Amino acid sequence: MSRRAVVTGGAGFIGSHVVDLLLADGWRVAVLDDLSTGNEANVDASADLIQFDVSTSDGWLSALRGADTVFHLAALPRIQPSFDDPVGHELVNVVGAIRCVEACRDAGVRRLVVAGSSSSYGVPRRLPTPEDEPIDPLSPYALQKYAAERNCLVLGERYGVPTIALRFFNVYGPRSFSERNPLNAYSSVVGIFARQKAAGTALTVTGDGLQKRDFVYVTDVARANLAAAISERPFGVYNVGAGEPISILELAKLFDHPYVFVEERQGESRTTWADISRIRAELGWSPEVSLVEGIEYGEAEL
Ligand code: NAD
């Protein structure tokens, strides 16, 4: 019998790639998404799309009924807007996660995989950064992502819902660019550069461009979600990155196209660099797509 998954945020960038991988792996998949930043067109026709707001209490149980695994990716995932509306972001990012784990308990779900974020480390003292690095969020969003994963782990343990939190680093790849969220996340700077190059405009490098990011290709992130879903380990927290940072300036140079410098953003770390030894050892996952390959795929997509 095929396994049944619910993917919250499955109409979004990362969630839709998780959906694609699960379908390819023979799962039956339902997507819960309010389409606020996501897009119906991202959802494969063989998945069921249910328009649903994760922050509300109603309808969770029937939405999860029959699912053995839940991937909770729904969130308002941008740093800068979380400063403008911290309460609205809290409701989706934290309350939504709590409602999700409660519903997993009620529906008898056997595995919850929840999306965390490398932004929760703030300015890490250790590079590469291991999972036991102190949490020191620099934005409401970063704090909320930590609260979400911690609530899922603590409540999951109490409720008997095995839960794995994955801390994604800077994810890039097809569908990262949303018309509703343009130009406001490092996560999509690879996609932004690809679009700027295709449009014949200069690439916009923020600050001095020497800030480094650990870019991980979105299909690799989807594979990490699947690895967490099928793991025998009941609970855990894992970094999901390439394990190799690159500066934004070096990234711009890889595009072989003119660039200009624009104003720096507040509330972001200088360097992100994942220590991925734990996920390699415990979930048997490692990244497969190099940055050069990932950029080529992205440019071919435009
Ligand atoms: P995204 O905006 O493309 O996807 C988020 C999805 O959640 C969208 O489809 C959106 O419509 C949906 N959503 C938002 N509010 C909702 C609500 N109230 N109810 C139901 N659905 C709602 O962003 P993404 O980059 O794919 O992010 C997916 C997850 O990964 C998020 O949890 C994010 O915090 C996390 N993450 C992303 C990155 C990255 O580099 N992109 C890095 C770290 C963590």
Side-chain angles (χ1 to χ4, degrees):
M1 214 174 70
S2 64
R3 297 190 60 179
R4 293 177 59 147
V6 165
V7 181
T8 74
F13 164 45
I14 301 171
S16 64
H17 286 275
V18 172
V19 171
D20 289 349
L21 180 62
L22 293 172
L23 291 171
D25 198 50
W27 294 54
R28 290 178 58 190
V29 181
V31 168
L32 304 185
D33 200 301
D34 73 349
L35 303 178
S36 54
T37 64
N39 190 337
E40 208 171 335
N42 289 341
V43 183
D44 189 283
S46 34
D48 296 324
L49 172 60
I50 302 161
Q51 211 160 327
F52 184 85
D53 177 357
V54 296
S55 66
T56 56
S57 56
D58 297 338
W60 266 106
L61 185 56
S62 58
L64 296 197
R65 196 165 277 132
D68 53 75
T69 306
V70 171
F71 299 85
H72 181 60
L73 292 112
L76 292 175
R78 307 287 180 250
I79 289 173
Q80 298 307 327
S82 77
F83 283 99
D84 302 331
D85 178 19
V87 173
H89 281 67
E90 181 84 10
L91 286 173
V92 175
N93 295 346
V94 182
V95 174
I98 295 172
R99 295 211 190 284
C100 180
V101 65
E102 283 185 319
C104 286
R105 170 198 60 193
D106 298 342
V109 167
R110 295 203 298 271
R111 160 67 76 205
L112 171 61
V113 181
V114 57
S117 168
S118 63
S119 63
S120 300
Y121 295 122
V123 180
R125 275 164 265 179
R126 282 174 294 171
L127 296 169
T129 306
E131 289 85 351
D132 62 0
E133 177 72 11
I135 295 299
D136 188 15
L138 300 177
S139 66
Y141 166 75
L143 177 58
Q144 290 159 5
K145 291 307 291 181
Y146 181 66
E149 69 164 59
R150 207 68 222 156
N151 272 299
C152 288
L153 287 159
V154 169
L155 294 172
E157 199 143 1
R158 175 63 61 97
Y159 297 161
V161 179
T163 300
I164 287 181
L166 299 176
R167 293 184 183 153
F168 306 152
F169 278 62
N170 299 86
V171 188
Y172 73 101
R175 306 176 204 150
S176 79
F177 186 89
S178 160
E179 297 295 341
R180 296 171 198 166
N181 279 305
L183 301 179
N184 58 1
Y186 268 115
S187 55
S188 55
V189 68
V190 180
I192 291 168
F193 282 176
R195 278 174 189 267
Q196 289 173 330
K197 182 176 173 180
T201 58
L203 313 184
T204 49
V205 174
T206 55
D208 59 11
L210 299 181
Q211 65 277 26
K212 289 189 169 182
R213 293 289 174 268
D214 186 323
F215 291 106
V216 57
Y217 195 63
V218 67
T219 56
D220 280 333
V221 176
R223 288 176 42 252
N225 277 270
L226 183 55
I230 62 179
S231 169
E232 297 290 316
R233 292 176 181 271
F235 295 94
V237 177
Y238 298 95
N239 287 336
V240 181
E244 284 176 32
I246 180 174
S247 76
I248 303 303
L249 193 54
E250 284 172 279
L251 176 70
K253 288 178 181 162
L254 281 182
F255 279 84
D256 194 21
H257 189 75
Y259 53 84
V260 292
F261 293 97
V262 297
E263 202 186 328
E264 200 160 8
R265 279 177 293 224
Q266 303 298 310
E268 292 175 10
S269 164
R270 198 74 189 145
T271 300
T272 67
W273 182 0
D275 180 336
I276 53 173
S277 42
R278 184 187 285 180
I279 190 168
R280 278 186 200 277
E282 296 187 7
L283 299 189
W285 175 91
S286 50
E288 287 179 349
V289 179
S290 72
L291 188 56
V292 170
E293 286 169 331
I295 288 173
E296 279 171 11
Y297 299 158
E299 288 190 326
E301 190 93 5
L302 291 176

